[in-house]
Amino acid sequence: MIRRMDALSCNNALRQQSPMWKSLFAAVMFILAYVLHPALQMLIALWMMRWCLLYAKIPPRAYGLLVGTALLFFGLSLPALLVEFGHPAAGEASWHLQIPGMSLVLYMTPAGGMRAVLLLARVSACLACCLFIILTTPFGELLQVLRRLRMPQIVLELMLIMYRFLFLLDDTAHGLLLARRLRGGQRGFWSKLQEATSMAASLFANTMHRYYGLSQGLATRGFTGEILLPPYVKRTVPRRFAFEAYAGIALLVAAQLWLLWA
């Protein structure tokens, strides 16, 4: 998946637009997605999806896979949000289940359901803003933007090394899985679990070995303790995109003020 995301960020229709403008736009939208009304948060999620699918030409299948994978973790947290344990007040529980042998019950309340819906709206909006910047701007240009914003050099170097480390980890894991399959592995659920546990140590050792090779390669190429980034190149933003972005932000703020005063 990491390679797919990297390929999309380098080959989308918004690739040539200003990375600074895209980053600031995504940052403003992320702040609005966190503080605005839930109905406006859903509008932000749909609007940022429009930017990715219509303007950036991101394949809908890839975008849906990323959104679905991220929302899967939200789904795993739903029991903690919806289900409560104890003695509900009269008329408070919309659903309950008596635990055999105990006086306590598991129950759900309308307040818990509303809390889950509000959190889903916020998560969807913030996720859409993050996917916009991830899928439309290459990682190297994001580092250039951070450098322009006076991010410390050591932080940029650590981010670059860790990003490279993700590819090493992915390659090593793919090689181990392929070797297991060629040896006739993965014959049943429990066998897969046992192989997964045995592969964890091998994955770490092999990845660190390749990481050591990467550091040796940097040293042989004359690494002096500082990774130089390409200079930032200013780019103009099409008037159409700028007008839609600024008008959309103004309408969202106006709608929030109207909801507060209505």
Side-chain angles (χ1 to χ4, degrees):
M1 181 58 69
I2 182 66
R3 293 187 179 277
R4 178 63 169 165
M5 295 170 62
D6 186 72
L8 290 174
S9 66
C10 296
N11 299 281
N12 64 90
L14 295 179
R15 166 70 171 79
Q16 300 301 325
Q17 308 306 324
S18 171
M20 179 67 74
W21 184 86
K22 288 185 291 186
S23 300
L24 293 178
F25 175 56
V28 172
M29 294 305 301
F30 188 89
I31 295 174
L32 294 179
Y34 189 82
V35 301
L36 293 187
H37 189 273
L40 299 179
Q41 291 173 346
M42 295 306 299
L43 287 178
I44 290 176
L46 295 176
W47 190 32
M48 300 308 293
M49 185 186 302
R50 170 188 170 89
W51 278 86
C52 290
L53 299 181
L54 185 61
Y55 297 153
K57 306 297 182 182
I58 302 298
R61 182 176 180 180
Y63 189 85
L65 181 60
L66 291 173
V67 173
T69 303
L71 292 182
L72 177 62
F73 292 94
F74 172 79
L76 295 176
S77 66
L78 281 180
L81 295 172
L82 297 176
V83 181
E84 300 186 28
F85 183 75
H87 297 283
E92 180 184 8
S94 58
W95 173 87
H96 68 278
L97 175 65
Q98 181 68 44
I99 301 177
M102 299 181 63
S103 60
L104 301 178
V105 298
L106 294 175
Y107 65 95
M108 296 173 54
T109 62
M114 181 59 64
R115 183 167 56 246
V117 171
L118 296 179
L119 184 58
L120 176 60
R122 178 175 294 176
V123 168
S124 301
C126 294
L127 175 63
C129 298
C130 292
L131 288 180
F132 170 76
I133 193 63
I134 290 173
L135 296 177
T136 62
T137 309
F139 185 75
E141 294 185 357
L142 289 178
L143 293 181
Q144 294 176 0
V145 171
L146 293 176
R147 186 177 183 180
R148 292 271 296 180
L149 297 177
R150 300 295 189 269
M151 181 69 69
Q153 180 68 21
I154 183 62
V155 177
L156 299 179
E157 293 179 0
L158 288 175
M159 292 175 63
L160 182 59
I161 293 174
M162 291 305 299
Y163 187 71
R164 175 58 180 165
F165 187 80
L166 292 177
F167 289 92
L168 295 179
L169 183 65
D170 180 72
D171 291 341
T172 305
H174 178 73
L176 290 176
L177 288 174
L178 182 60
R180 291 283 183 176
R181 292 176 183 176
L182 293 177
R183 294 187 181 96
Q186 297 187 359
R187 295 185 299 270
F189 178 74
W190 294 110
S191 298
K192 291 181 181 180
L193 289 181
Q194 293 176 356
E195 291 179 358
T197 55
S198 63
M199 285 175 57
S202 300
L203 177 62
F204 179 77
N206 292 343
T207 304
M208 293 306 298
H209 178 72
R210 294 195 60 183
Y211 182 73
Y212 177 75
L214 175 63
S215 62
Q216 292 295 104
L218 288 174
T220 57
R221 292 181 177 91
F223 178 64
T224 59
E226 181 179 357
I227 300 177
L228 300 178
L229 299 175
Y232 178 80
V233 178
K234 293 184 178 181
R235 302 173 188 170
T236 59
V237 181
R239 190 172 300 177
R240 172 193 173 188
F241 291 155
F243 176 78
E244 180 175 343
Y246 301 149
I249 293 174
L251 289 176
L252 288 171
V253 174
Q256 177 68 19
L257 295 177
W258 182 80
L259 289 174
L260 291 176
W261 293 340

